[in-house]
Structure formats: C-alpha cells, structure tokens
Amino acid sequence: DPTTSLFLYDRSLKVAPGGVHSPVRASKSVGGEPIFFRFAEGAYLESVEGKRYVDFCQSFGPNILGHRDPDVSVEVGKIISRVWTLGTCEPYSLELAEWIQAKVPWAEKVRFVCSGTEAVMSALRVARAATGRTQIVKFEGCYHGHVDSMLVKAGSGLAGEGASDSAGVPAEIAATTLVAPLDNEEELERIFKRAGSEVAAVIIEPLPANFGLLVQREEFLRKVVTVAREYGALVIFDEVISGFRVALGGMAERLGVRPDLVTFGKVLGGGFPVGCYAGRKDLMDLVAPSGPVYQAGTLSAHPVAVVAGLSTLKKVE
C-alpha cells in the first residue's frame, strides 16, 4: 500500500542513508520501523495511515508551545507573505536580538546561525582566537552537536584525551578535546593542572539532557566556572536545550553565573531552523566583519525563523 509508513520507508532506504535525514528518526533504539507523519497540531501528530498520536517529543524541543501554535501561525503567515529569504540586513532578526539582549544580560552581542551545532562550532572558534589556545575541555555524556572536535568520549585512564565517537574525525582533531567526567571536581582539577595553560575554553551543558536528564550539583557547576577562570580559560554554556526553558535566561540565570559565551538553538525559531551564539562584547567583536574570526551563512537570521521565534518566546514569557 503506497500510503503506509512501511512503503514510504522502503522508498526512503533507496535515497537516504538508513532511510532518514537524522539518525534518531530511524527508531532503532526503540525498535520497529519509523512512522511517517503528515500532520501536526498542538500536542498531536497524525500518521500517513490516519492514526493520531500524542507527541511528547515536540520535534526534539523547538515546539515549546506545541505544533503550529495559533498565535505564532498568524505571525508566520504575515512574514511569509512579505519575504522568504533576503540575504540582506532586515529588521526582523534585529528585534529578536534586542529581545535576547534584554532578557539575557550576558548576551552582550548576538550572532544568528542556522543550528545549535553551528553555534557551538563558532563559539569554540571565537574562544580559540581570543585565548590563542587550542584545547577544549568538555564533559562525558554532554552533547554539543556534530562538530568534529565535540564528537569525542573519554580516553583511557586519567589522561582525559578524546577519542572520536564517529568515523571520519581525524585523531589530531579529537586530540584537541579533553574529556572530564561529570560531577567530579578532583578529575577536573587534575586535567587543568596538567594542561590548563593550553585550554581555550570549558564547554558544558549546565543541564545535561542528551544522555538522560543529568541534573548537576550547583557546587560542581560553580567549580567548573571557578577552575576555568583560574587558568584563564573561557566558560561556554551550551543552552541549546535549557535556554529559555528552565528560565528565560536558562540555567545561567538559575545559577547566577555569567558565562563568557552561550549557545542557543532550536527554541529560538519556534519550529524553523535557527541557532545563535552570544556573549561578552569583546569576544563577539572578534567575529567578522568586526574582527578576524570568520563565520558566515546565507540563511542565517532567516526572517521566517526569527519572527516565529520572537512570537514564540514572547508568548512563553
């Protein structure tokens, strides 16, 4: 039957790796074949077979108000009737950037990109440029998108050196990442005593949520910040998951911590592709065209995404 998920999946296997465009959609970890959905509204999805489902996932996070929130839909309809993509300066992303700046005081300047992965990649580049150092410290189990240097797990013993979780990542790139265990101040200090002068930044999900929801002790999170600053490394909070959810200012607001750089993702787009990195003015001014750190994107600050995002976030507020 050409209208079934199974039939569509068989077709997809012929055109896409594993029949999908993101690995989790293959449903391998939960068993069975992928379900193909054709309609979504509020809390519900409808499959191509016409079966209704409650959606507890909400597209992995962007649909904080549910699918196609009616108020956001009105704003999306207006902007789509006016512009799609411009490739020029426009007022729509300016409004969202000013809103973020007002709600997140440590976001002194903002640069929009198209995904959380892109935001992390760019923030790491800024950190390396600002410090003149190469190494990055991340934490085991924290996910920061599919940037080469972030696709690492802990190495052997106490060395803390990364070995890639993915084929195609050169060992030389994996070696620029030092992996520390979560909730272990002693091991963190050991890594910094050994390599602190080479560490450009520490990056952490302050509320790790991709390896299970691993709520951290506040004392540990504060120690991460203290140790990094003691050795002259920057602090990057990856708030792609926690930003604008646990509080408007994310976990940084809840902790009363001011990170040097912060990354946000899907929630900023209300269901359309968007991400951003933000932080201290002096660091963000290193980014082109103000400074020597190159980063660009044809679809960055996409008008539809930023309008949907601002409408979503205002309603959340």
Side-chain angles (χ1 to χ4, degrees):
D1 182 346
T3 63
T4 65
S5 292
L6 192 58
F7 183 84
L8 295 173
Y9 186 47
D10 284 341
R11 283 173 56 191
S12 295
L13 286 167
K14 297 179 177 71
V15 296
V20 295
H21 298 284
S22 188
V24 73
R25 297 178 194 174
S27 304
K28 285 187 175 181
S29 61
V30 293
E33 304 298 340
I35 301 167
F36 280 62
F37 294 99
R38 66 185 179 190
F39 177 80
E41 185 173 48
Y44 300 98
L45 293 170
E46 185 181 292
S47 72
V48 293
E49 291 87 358
K51 188 174 180 181
R52 201 170 189 230
Y53 293 78
V54 176
D55 183 9
F56 290 96
C57 189
Q58 291 296 330
S59 193
F60 296 95
N63 301 329
I64 195 167
L65 300 174
H67 292 277
R68 296 191 304 112
D69 175 81
D71 296 318
V72 179
S73 290
V74 170
E75 299 307 314
V76 169
K78 287 180 191 171
I79 189 69
I80 281 180
S81 70
R82 251 183 266 139
V83 300
W84 290 3
T85 181
L86 293 166
T88 65
C89 296
E90 33 63 42
Y92 311 110
S93 61
L94 173 59
E95 287 185 44
L96 178 55
E98 286 177 337
W99 189 90
I100 292 169
Q101 192 181 58
K103 306 301 174 187
V104 185
W106 45 96
E108 294 174 0
K109 285 202 172 179
V110 173
R111 171 60 69 86
F112 289 114
V113 290
C114 295
S115 69
T117 291
E118 222 181 311
V120 167
M121 175 185 74
S122 305
L124 295 176
R125 189 176 297 157
V126 169
R128 287 180 166 126
T131 60
R133 301 173 178 183
T134 303
Q135 301 284 338
I136 303 291
V137 172
K138 76 175 288 282
F139 293 86
E140 192 170 3
C142 286
Y143 178 69
H144 303 290
H146 55 95
V147 183
D148 278 6
S149 63
M150 293 291 98
L151 287 175
V152 296
K153 56 191 174 186
S156 57
L158 299 175
E161 290 183 1
S164 180
D165 287 334
S166 172
V169 176
E172 297 85 353
I173 290 177
T176 63
T177 302
L178 304 173
V179 185
L182 284 164
D183 197 31
N184 189 328
E185 289 95 329
E186 294 75 19
E187 180 59 21
L188 179 67
E189 286 189 324
R190 245 193 303 270
I191 288 172
F192 267 94
K193 279 175 184 169
R194 180 174 62 84
S197 63
E198 301 162 29
V199 175
V202 176
I203 185 167
I204 189 169
E205 285 184 279
L207 183 65
N210 283 284
F211 201 61
L213 189 64
L214 306 175
V215 182
Q216 299 297 297
R217 289 180 297 114
E218 283 194 20
E219 295 80 6
F220 171 69
L221 293 170
R222 292 183 196 286
K223 184 70 171 178
V224 170
V225 174
T226 302
V227 171
R229 292 192 167 144
E230 183 185 330
Y231 283 86
L234 300 183
V235 174
I236 304 174
F237 271 14
D238 181 341
E239 298 239 40
V240 168
I241 299 296
S242 52
F244 306 103
R245 289 188 181 84
V246 299
L248 279 181
M251 280 298 293
E253 178 182 312
R254 292 283 294 269
L255 293 164
V257 167
R258 197 178 177 99
D260 299 300
L261 293 165
V262 61
T263 61
F264 297 119
K266 41 202 154 191
V267 73
L268 290 175
F272 294 88
V274 73
C276 88
Y277 58 109
R280 280 170 31 198
K281 180 181 181 295
D282 61 307
L283 297 174
M284 294 301 294
D285 279 342
L286 292 172
V287 179
S290 296
V293 177
Y294 189 73
Q295 179 269 309
T298 299
L299 298 176
S300 293
H302 193 282
V304 178
V306 294
V307 165
L310 183 56
S311 177
T312 297
L313 290 170
K314 281 182 173 178
K315 187 167 180 176
V316 167
E317 185 185 16

